[in-house]
Amino acid sequence: MRISNATLADGRVVDVRVEDGEIVAVGDLDPVDGESTIDADENLLLPGAIDVHVHFREPGFEHKETWETGSRSAAAGGVTTIADQPNTDPTTTTGEGFDAKADRAAGACIDYGINGGVTPDWDPDSLFDRPLFALGEVFLADSTGDMGIDADLFASAAERAAEAGVPVTVHAEDATLFDESAIEGDLGGAGRDADSDAWSAYRRAEAEAAAVERAVRVGSESGAQIHIAHTSTPEGVDAAREGGATCEVTPHHLFLSRDDCDELGTYGRMNPPLRSEERREAMFERLADGHIDVVATDHAPHTTDEKDQSLLDAPSGVPGVETMVPLLLGAAVEGDLSLERVRDVVAANPADIFDLPQKGRIEEGADADLALYDLDAAREIRGDDLHSKCGWTPFEGFTGVFPEWTMVRGETVWDGEEFGDVAGENVRV
Ligand SMILES: NC(=O)N[C@@H](CC(=O)O)C(=O)O
Ligand SMILES: [Zn+2]
Ligand SMILES: [Zn+2]
């Protein structure tokens, strides 16, 4: 197969030849006899995005998401590889827990990795016996699933990961710095009427940098490779970089701030929480200038019934895997970000950090994970149009550029209307 007239993020217009799921040539390619051609019509061809932080919820919470619905949502957003987090039921903290998840992951239509998690009753021997994508997210404070661990367990887990040569991804918040007084008193009504700004005041910005500092210290003591998940403050990003760790930011911390809490209510409750508009802008700058390595979604779907509770009862987390690349391309169209930067933070950089040499690049020898975008076809994001089981988005009404089609290893998994029958594979097997 030949994809003709594709514009790459660097502006080159090329043809791409795909054979047996791999890119075998990129350049000015004459068609060969009997070869099928897909005309890209000079639209933008990006490597399939790698979202290293999603919660596909299965096993245990199939009412929120499944590997089938989550992976379809990813494919419809140009994402062709994901890494799933361990706060499922059972938790992915033992060999058995890993195997239970691997069974379900077979239902994915895109490629994936499975992370191992840490709890006081984890079983590192059997867990590290499995092909882990990473150890993480290691929760330094409780979040959905209440998997927060103490300093000693974190240090010993980092040592095990270093021995195994597995990177460690860290949910960095220090609960001792949370401001309990912020969530006492009147917290508004349920769902959209709740005062989610109080959540931001409670899980204060200062709690992030302190936890990042501890994580990078443990990283250098143990020799473990540390990657900070969902950094939400410029202070957290700077502490990660100074300590030699890589870091990611979510789309919600790039595009939403405490100014949106009034409208979102509990639909804007997540960990770490939304930050001030000033900090949001600082995060965007650090993304644009290269200080942040990766955008990853922390896709954390919950049902509207669950979200339509009081601020304290509603679970934390928002969906995002389908809207990440569309939002970033929307920002690129506005001139806020270069296309090369978008390509690097969603594909090349996660591939480098998590050692996926086959993924994240449009070059000879790489997997033909690809997505095509018409930058003139930006449209309004609507929860009703998305494919996550949860059925809502915190980005309702934002503008995004969605893929015309998405391919996994040369097979069309999304053609703009329907899903193809693609069997996702574990990238570590
Ligand atoms: N981010 C969230 O608010 N929630 C995540 C867990 C997490 O990543 O902390 C979830 O699994 O719901
Ligand atoms: Zn987290
Ligand atoms: Zn998460």
Side-chain angles (χ1 to χ4, degrees):
M1 169 178 66
R2 191 180 61 115
I3 300 162
S4 65
N5 295 315
T7 304
L8 302 182
D10 62 14
R12 282 183 296 150
V13 178
V14 298
D15 309 313
V16 177
R17 175 159 290 129
V18 173
E19 280 173 19
D20 298 328
E22 277 189 15
I23 296 169
V24 295
V26 179
D28 195 1
L29 310 174
D30 290 330
V32 296
D33 272 355
E35 186 177 45
S36 62
T37 295
I38 297 175
D39 187 359
D41 208 16
E42 300 203 358
N43 284 316
L44 174 70
L45 188 68
L46 287 183
I50 301 165
D51 184 351
V52 297
H53 195 129
V54 307
H55 298 263
F56 280 176
R57 303 298 191 202
E58 202 185 5
F61 304 100
E62 292 78 3
H63 65 286
K64 299 177 197 269
E65 195 77 285
T66 64
W67 279 83
E68 184 184 14
T69 56
S71 64
R72 286 184 165 200
S73 187
V79 173
T80 54
T81 303
I82 58 90
D84 188 65
Q85 306 303 314
N87 56 340
T88 43
D89 184 15
T91 56
T92 319
T93 52
T94 63
E96 237 172 79
F98 182 96
D99 296 343
K101 181 163 287 182
D103 276 351
R104 304 301 185 94
C109 65
I110 62 168
D111 288 350
Y112 55 86
I114 297 174
N115 280 2
V118 184
T119 49
D121 63 349
W122 71 318
D123 180 27
D125 290 339
S126 63
L127 190 63
F128 281 109
D129 209 28
R130 305 298 192 277
L132 299 183
F133 182 84
L135 188 70
E137 57 179 295
V138 178
F139 291 92
L140 300 191
D142 275 346
S143 187
T144 308
D146 293 342
M147 288 173 69
I149 59 169
D150 68 24
D152 288 344
L153 182 52
F154 176 48
S156 75
E159 276 169 26
R160 293 297 300 250
E163 274 166 33
V166 168
V168 182
T169 72
V170 182
H171 178 125
E173 286 184 284
D174 181 340
T176 66
L177 297 178
F178 291 172
D179 179 3
E180 305 280 345
S181 73
I183 48 168
E184 287 159 6
D186 183 7
L187 299 171
R192 294 198 178 265
D193 295 328
D195 173 18
S196 62
D197 189 66
W199 198 252
S200 299
Y202 163 52
R203 297 181 79 119
R204 336 176 6 238
E206 291 73 12
E208 181 168 272
V212 172
E213 278 163 25
R214 182 153 67 84
V216 296
R217 209 162 45 238
V218 166
S220 57
E221 282 160 13
S222 62
Q225 179 193 338
I226 302 286
H227 175 80
I228 308 295
H230 46 51
T231 48
S232 60
T233 62
E235 296 89 340
V237 171
D238 296 347
R241 286 186 70 81
E242 276 157 29
T246 52
C247 67
E248 71 197 29
V249 62
T250 67
H252 46 274
H253 292 115
L254 289 171
F255 293 96
L256 300 171
S257 72
R258 286 175 77 162
D259 289 4
D260 298 293
C261 284
D262 203 27
E263 198 181 316
L264 289 168
T266 56
Y267 292 79
R269 180 186 142 166
M270 81 289 287
N271 305 325
L274 294 177
R275 305 299 189 188
S276 66
E277 183 59 19
E278 199 183 350
R279 283 202 170 90
R280 182 194 74 80
E281 283 170 16
M283 290 300 279
F284 210 102
E285 267 167 40
R286 279 166 176 69
L287 179 72
D289 70 14
H291 283 75
I292 294 174
D293 306 283
V294 168
V295 179
T297 63
D298 195 11
H299 177 78
H302 299 284
T303 65
T304 54
D305 276 355
E306 290 165 335
K307 281 293 199 183
D308 283 335
Q309 301 181 78
S310 71
L311 184 66
L312 296 187
D313 289 335
S316 294
V318 297
V321 72
E322 190 166 347
T323 45
M324 170 177 71
V325 181
L327 284 166
L328 292 172
L329 288 178
V333 169
E334 293 297 311
D336 296 337
L337 216 52
S338 73
L339 291 174
E340 286 168 291
R341 194 78 196 117
V342 174
R343 173 199 64 193
D344 290 350
V345 296
V346 302
N349 293 355
D352 288 347
I353 293 166
F354 291 94
D355 192 24
L356 302 170
Q358 286 297 109
K359 302 291 192 194
R361 287 193 166 78
I362 300 179
E363 62 187 27
E364 204 182 307
D367 285 350
D369 296 345
L370 301 163
L372 191 76
Y373 299 88
D374 177 356
L375 294 179
D376 295 327
R379 63 175 158 88
E380 199 179 297
I381 295 175
R382 299 184 338 148
D384 279 350
D385 296 336
L386 303 176
H387 300 84
S388 165
K389 199 167 193 174
C390 74
W392 61 276
T393 171
F395 304 110
E396 188 78 31
F398 281 62
T399 300
V401 181
F402 287 85
E404 303 294 304
W405 52 253
T406 307
M407 258 179 213
V408 173
R409 286 174 281 103
E411 288 185 77
T412 302
V413 64
W414 171 244
D415 68 4
E417 283 174 13
E418 283 177 24
F419 295 99
D421 191 14
V422 175
E425 291 178 358
N426 187 327
V427 293
R428 291 279 190 249
V429 176

